[in-house]
Structure formats: C-alpha cells, structure tokens
Amino acid sequence: MYVSSSFFLLALLSQCRHVLSQSQNNVTLCQKSIIQQVTNFYEYKRKAYAYDYCANIGDGRGYSSGIIGFTTATHDALLVIQLYKSKSSQNTEFDKYLPTLIKIDQTGTSSTDGLDGYCKIWYNTCQKEDFRKAQLEIAENLYWYPSQNFSDKIGLVSALARGQMFDAFIQHGYTNTDKDSAIGMTNQTESILLSKNQSTPLRYGSEITWLTEFLKVRENTLTNPQNPATRDGFRASLWRVKSYQFSLSYLINITTIALNNTGGNITDRALLSFDNELVILDDKGQKAYIPCDLNIWTQNVGYMYIPPNNDLSVGAIMGIVVGGLCLVAICVVLFWCRKRISKKLKVYKVIR
C-alpha cells in the first residue's frame, strides 16, 4: 500500500510540473544552474552534481546519497529508487533493500540496520543513465519546483532570494512547519518583520530586508536546532548561511555602483540579480566563483567513494583490530630491543 502511494505521489508531482514550472519565469536557466551549483558546493565542496556520493554523515537522517543528499530516513531516497525501478524492465540492484527502506520510511528512524552494502550499490548504479535521470527528476519535482512555487507565494522575485529558498528546502525540508524547516523559518521571519512594523515582500516590503532577516533566522536555526539529532551536522554547515550573507552584501555593493554609473533603476530585484556568475564564500571564508553552466544537468563527474563503517564486515573489522594490535606489539618489542642493545653498548665501552 505504501509503495503504491509513493508511486501516486510521483505521478501527481509529474502532472503538477507544468504548473509549477511557470514560477521559473523569475529565474533564467543560467541563474538556475548557478543556484543549483551553489547548493552542490555547500553539500559536496564542488560545483558538479555528485550522483554517486553516499555516506552516513551523522545528521540523524541515515544515509545521505546522490545529487542533493537523498536520505534513507526522509522518504526521498526511497522515491529515487522506486522511480528508477519503474523505469527498468527488470529487477534492480536495490530490490533487496526495498522492504527495509519502506519500514524505515514509515518509522522515520535514522537507523541503517539492514542496509549493509547500500552505499556501494548506490555508487555502482550511478553508472546507469536511468538512475542519474531518476535523481534529477526527483530533485526537480520535490525541491526545485516547490521551492520556486513557494517563493512566488510569499512574493520573492530576486534570483538570490529564490536561490536561498531552494537551498533551505534542500537542507531543512519543507513538509512540516516545525521551526527547523524552511516553512517554519519563513513564518518566524514574517513574525519578526511584522513585530517591527515592517512589510513582507508579498505586502510590498523590501526583499533585501526580508532576506537579511531570513538569513539571521536560518543562522539561529543551524546554531540551535529544535531537533537534537541534526545539531552537529547543522552547526558544521553554518558557513553556507555566512556565504549567502556575503553574496547579499557583495551583490548590493557591486550592483549599486553599476546602476549608478548607467542610470538604471535601483530596485530590490535589480540589486539581488546575477546573470553569468555569483561570488560566494567557501568553508574557509575564501571567495569562490560560481559561473553559469548549462551542462550541469547532463555531465557525470564521478565522486570518490568511501565505504561507510556499515559496509565493513565483522571479519574485516576484526582484521583491522588484530592488525593494529600486532603493530603495537612489534613497536613494543623493537623499543625493548633498542634499550637492551643500548645497555650492552655502554657496558662494552666501559670494559674497553
């Protein structure tokens, strides 16, 4: 029953795609490519999509894998696998994991029990175009279009604000209204602005003011998340908000100068716009330049696979432990022998 409902959700999202795609009128393809590369950079420290990435990063969501970190605990990894299966005429590599993934999805647990070898199979399957296409389709339908549709709903028009909303949808989720989610942070932002008698973008308020406040709320959420399971992962990613705060100031400064020189209209949308490149900060606080790249959705650049601890068998773990103990024993014996030889040399010198 639950598998059927998942396929129904995929069909519904596909039907809604045409309607939701109208929200792209506010974002060019170049801007979209930059926005998605920025989130890739935050997630994987590189601009290209990491189709074959898979690891348990300890954020309370099980395995994170693929181009936007589809997780085993939050439904989207299961959707990718089910969509891939629907495109295949035969059994897939993931069939043996489906019962476990469905059970995990129903309970929302971060456990990876029963998923031994999952990351290795994810990595190997990424050589198949159908699997990569399934990742792109779920990412578009579950995150890109909903984030842009929501941006329309709350009155965001600039590429930077809409990009920030996409990034928040990816990292925080949006299917509930707890304070850690993108919806929850938006509600907090609007409450703060209204308490200061300031209008929101939907009520003809300043988009710069809204984005500045939203980034403060998101920074506070990453520092003090409501969900303790995500605390360490969120705090380690605080730099991605610092990066957007830098881009906000940077765009305002350079665009103001350009518009003053050309006599253009200084509007929030003009100030927060970028066409061919966006300057952000990396995790070391250094500038990084993200250019327009319309090949982002077709290129497949491999990511280095590092097997998680769960991929190691008990025998392999015991072998590592025994090998380590043997190395320690050898070092102790060598140290003891060195001391004995040193003493004998001293005695020999005295006798001479």
PDB file of all heavy atoms in Angstrom, residues 108-123:
ATOM      1  N   GLY A 108      10.529   6.692  10.240  1.00  0.00           N
ATOM      2  CA  GLY A 108      11.328   7.907  10.293  1.00  0.00           C
ATOM      3  C   GLY A 108      12.619   7.751  11.070  1.00  0.00           C
ATOM      4  O   GLY A 108      13.241   8.734  11.475  1.00  0.00           O
ATOM      5  N   THR A 109      13.057   6.506  11.278  1.00  0.00           N
ATOM      6  CA  THR A 109      14.273   6.274  12.043  1.00  0.00           C
ATOM      7  C   THR A 109      15.520   6.595  11.220  1.00  0.00           C
ATOM      8  O   THR A 109      15.509   6.515   9.985  1.00  0.00           O
ATOM      9  CB  THR A 109      14.346   4.812  12.520  1.00  0.00           C
ATOM     10  OG1 THR A 109      15.574   4.602  13.221  1.00  0.00           O
ATOM     11  CG2 THR A 109      14.309   3.856  11.341  1.00  0.00           C
ATOM     12  N   SER A 110      16.593   6.945  11.914  1.00  0.00           N
ATOM     13  CA  SER A 110      17.861   7.204  11.228  1.00  0.00           C
ATOM     14  C   SER A 110      18.714   5.945  11.138  1.00  0.00           C
ATOM     15  O   SER A 110      19.847   5.986  10.659  1.00  0.00           O
ATOM     16  CB  SER A 110      18.641   8.293  11.976  1.00  0.00           C
ATOM     17  OG  SER A 110      18.963   7.861  13.295  1.00  0.00           O
ATOM     18  N   SER A 111      18.177   4.823  11.596  1.00  0.00           N
ATOM     19  CA  SER A 111      18.924   3.566  11.602  1.00  0.00           C
ATOM     20  C   SER A 111      19.272   3.123  10.177  1.00  0.00           C
ATOM     21  O   SER A 111      18.495   3.306   9.243  1.00  0.00           O
ATOM     22  CB  SER A 111      18.096   2.470  12.282  1.00  0.00           C
ATOM     23  OG  SER A 111      18.719   1.199  12.133  1.00  0.00           O
ATOM     24  N   THR A 112      20.454   2.530  10.057  1.00  0.00           N
ATOM     25  CA  THR A 112      20.870   1.959   8.772  1.00  0.00           C
ATOM     26  C   THR A 112      20.957   0.436   8.863  1.00  0.00           C
ATOM     27  O   THR A 112      21.563  -0.198   8.000  1.00  0.00           O
ATOM     28  CB  THR A 112      22.228   2.545   8.333  1.00  0.00           C
ATOM     29  OG1 THR A 112      23.201   2.304   9.370  1.00  0.00           O
ATOM     30  CG2 THR A 112      22.124   4.030   8.068  1.00  0.00           C
ATOM     31  N   ASP A 113      20.353  -0.123   9.892  1.00  0.00           N
ATOM     32  CA  ASP A 113      20.328  -1.582  10.028  1.00  0.00           C
ATOM     33  C   ASP A 113      19.605  -2.200   8.835  1.00  0.00           C
ATOM     34  O   ASP A 113      18.545  -1.726   8.422  1.00  0.00           O
ATOM     35  CB  ASP A 113      19.609  -1.996  11.319  1.00  0.00           C
ATOM     36  CG  ASP A 113      20.397  -1.610  12.569  1.00  0.00           C
ATOM     37  OD1 ASP A 113      21.599  -1.335  12.432  1.00  0.00           O
ATOM     38  OD2 ASP A 113      19.790  -1.584  13.657  1.00  0.00           O
ATOM     39  N   GLY A 114      20.182  -3.265   8.303  1.00  0.00           N
ATOM     40  CA  GLY A 114      19.580  -3.921   7.150  1.00  0.00           C
ATOM     41  C   GLY A 114      19.965  -3.304   5.824  1.00  0.00           C
ATOM     42  O   GLY A 114      19.450  -3.708   4.774  1.00  0.00           O
ATOM     43  N   LEU A 115      20.866  -2.313   5.853  1.00  0.00           N
ATOM     44  CA  LEU A 115      21.282  -1.641   4.615  1.00  0.00           C
ATOM     45  C   LEU A 115      22.767  -1.848   4.323  1.00  0.00           C
ATOM     46  O   LEU A 115      23.408  -1.017   3.686  1.00  0.00           O
ATOM     47  CB  LEU A 115      20.977  -0.140   4.702  1.00  0.00           C
ATOM     48  CG  LEU A 115      19.501   0.251   4.821  1.00  0.00           C
ATOM     49  CD1 LEU A 115      19.358   1.762   4.976  1.00  0.00           C
ATOM     50  CD2 LEU A 115      18.717  -0.234   3.604  1.00  0.00           C
ATOM     51  N   ASP A 116      23.314  -2.958   4.794  1.00  0.00           N
ATOM     52  CA  ASP A 116      24.726  -3.246   4.536  1.00  0.00           C
ATOM     53  C   ASP A 116      24.990  -3.284   3.023  1.00  0.00           C
ATOM     54  O   ASP A 116      24.280  -3.954   2.274  1.00  0.00           O
ATOM     55  CB  ASP A 116      25.118  -4.592   5.138  1.00  0.00           C
ATOM     56  CG  ASP A 116      25.100  -4.580   6.660  1.00  0.00           C
ATOM     57  OD1 ASP A 116      25.033  -3.475   7.223  1.00  0.00           O
ATOM     58  OD2 ASP A 116      25.142  -5.667   7.264  1.00  0.00           O
ATOM     59  N   GLY A 117      25.990  -2.554   2.593  1.00  0.00           N
ATOM     60  CA  GLY A 117      26.355  -2.512   1.183  1.00  0.00           C
ATOM     61  C   GLY A 117      25.556  -1.518   0.358  1.00  0.00           C
ATOM     62  O   GLY A 117      25.766  -1.395  -0.844  1.00  0.00           O
ATOM     63  N   TYR A 118      24.654  -0.786   0.997  1.00  0.00           N
ATOM     64  CA  TYR A 118      23.777   0.170   0.295  1.00  0.00           C
ATOM     65  C   TYR A 118      24.588   1.208  -0.474  1.00  0.00           C
ATOM     66  O   TYR A 118      24.314   1.477  -1.651  1.00  0.00           O
ATOM     67  CB  TYR A 118      22.867   0.848   1.323  1.00  0.00           C
ATOM     68  CG  TYR A 118      22.012   1.983   0.802  1.00  0.00           C
ATOM     69  CD1 TYR A 118      20.759   1.731   0.249  1.00  0.00           C
ATOM     70  CD2 TYR A 118      22.433   3.311   0.889  1.00  0.00           C
ATOM     71  CE1 TYR A 118      19.958   2.764  -0.219  1.00  0.00           C
ATOM     72  CE2 TYR A 118      21.648   4.353   0.424  1.00  0.00           C
ATOM     73  CZ  TYR A 118      20.409   4.078  -0.121  1.00  0.00           C
ATOM     74  OH  TYR A 118      19.628   5.119  -0.582  1.00  0.00           O
ATOM     75  N   CYS A 119      25.583   1.796   0.178  1.00  0.00           N
ATOM     76  CA  CYS A 119      26.358   2.861  -0.472  1.00  0.00           C
ATOM     77  C   CYS A 119      27.147   2.340  -1.671  1.00  0.00           C
ATOM     78  O   CYS A 119      27.282   3.033  -2.679  1.00  0.00           O
ATOM     79  CB  CYS A 119      27.299   3.525   0.535  1.00  0.00           C
ATOM     80  SG  CYS A 119      26.484   4.790   1.556  1.00  0.00           S
ATOM     81  N   LYS A 120      27.656   1.134  -1.554  1.00  0.00           N
ATOM     82  CA  LYS A 120      28.419   0.570  -2.668  1.00  0.00           C
ATOM     83  C   LYS A 120      27.518   0.363  -3.880  1.00  0.00           C
ATOM     84  O   LYS A 120      27.902   0.660  -5.023  1.00  0.00           O
ATOM     85  CB  LYS A 120      29.055  -0.749  -2.247  1.00  0.00           C
ATOM     86  CG  LYS A 120      29.991  -1.337  -3.293  1.00  0.00           C
ATOM     87  CD  LYS A 120      30.707  -2.563  -2.757  1.00  0.00           C
ATOM     88  CE  LYS A 120      31.698  -3.107  -3.783  1.00  0.00           C
ATOM     89  NZ  LYS A 120      32.416  -4.310  -3.265  1.00  0.00           N
ATOM     90  N   ILE A 121      26.305  -0.112  -3.648  1.00  0.00           N
ATOM     91  CA  ILE A 121      25.365  -0.333  -4.749  1.00  0.00           C
ATOM     92  C   ILE A 121      24.920   1.003  -5.348  1.00  0.00           C
ATOM     93  O   ILE A 121      24.794   1.152  -6.568  1.00  0.00           O
ATOM     94  CB  ILE A 121      24.160  -1.175  -4.272  1.00  0.00           C
ATOM     95  CG1 ILE A 121      24.611  -2.619  -4.083  1.00  0.00           C
ATOM     96  CG2 ILE A 121      22.994  -1.083  -5.249  1.00  0.00           C
ATOM     97  CD1 ILE A 121      23.536  -3.568  -3.643  1.00  0.00           C
ATOM     98  N   TRP A 122      24.671   1.997  -4.481  1.00  0.00           N
ATOM     99  CA  TRP A 122      24.296   3.332  -4.989  1.00  0.00           C
ATOM    100  C   TRP A 122      25.403   3.848  -5.912  1.00  0.00           C
ATOM    101  O   TRP A 122      25.141   4.356  -7.007  1.00  0.00           O
ATOM    102  CB  TRP A 122      24.074   4.290  -3.828  1.00  0.00           C
ATOM    103  CG  TRP A 122      23.572   5.643  -4.253  1.00  0.00           C
ATOM    104  CD1 TRP A 122      24.312   6.646  -4.848  1.00  0.00           C
ATOM    105  CD2 TRP A 122      22.230   6.139  -4.164  1.00  0.00           C
ATOM    106  NE1 TRP A 122      23.521   7.738  -5.115  1.00  0.00           N
ATOM    107  CE2 TRP A 122      22.237   7.457  -4.705  1.00  0.00           C
ATOM    108  CE3 TRP A 122      21.038   5.625  -3.672  1.00  0.00           C
ATOM    109  CZ2 TRP A 122      21.084   8.239  -4.776  1.00  0.00           C
ATOM    110  CZ3 TRP A 122      19.894   6.408  -3.735  1.00  0.00           C
ATOM    111  CH2 TRP A 122      19.924   7.704  -4.286  1.00  0.00           C
ATOM    112  N   TYR A 123      26.640   3.736  -5.443  1.00  0.00           N
ATOM    113  CA  TYR A 123      27.789   4.215  -6.214  1.00  0.00           C
ATOM    114  C   TYR A 123      27.886   3.519  -7.571  1.00  0.00           C
ATOM    115  O   TYR A 123      28.028   4.170  -8.606  1.00  0.00           O
ATOM    116  CB  TYR A 123      29.066   3.967  -5.405  1.00  0.00           C
ATOM    117  CG  TYR A 123      30.344   4.308  -6.128  1.00  0.00           C
ATOM    118  CD1 TYR A 123      30.809   5.617  -6.170  1.00  0.00           C
ATOM    119  CD2 TYR A 123      31.101   3.322  -6.754  1.00  0.00           C
ATOM    120  CE1 TYR A 123      31.991   5.939  -6.824  1.00  0.00           C
ATOM    121  CE2 TYR A 123      32.280   3.623  -7.412  1.00  0.00           C
ATOM    122  CZ  TYR A 123      32.718   4.936  -7.448  1.00  0.00           C
ATOM    123  OH  TYR A 123      33.879   5.239  -8.099  1.00  0.00           O
TER     124      TYR A 123
END
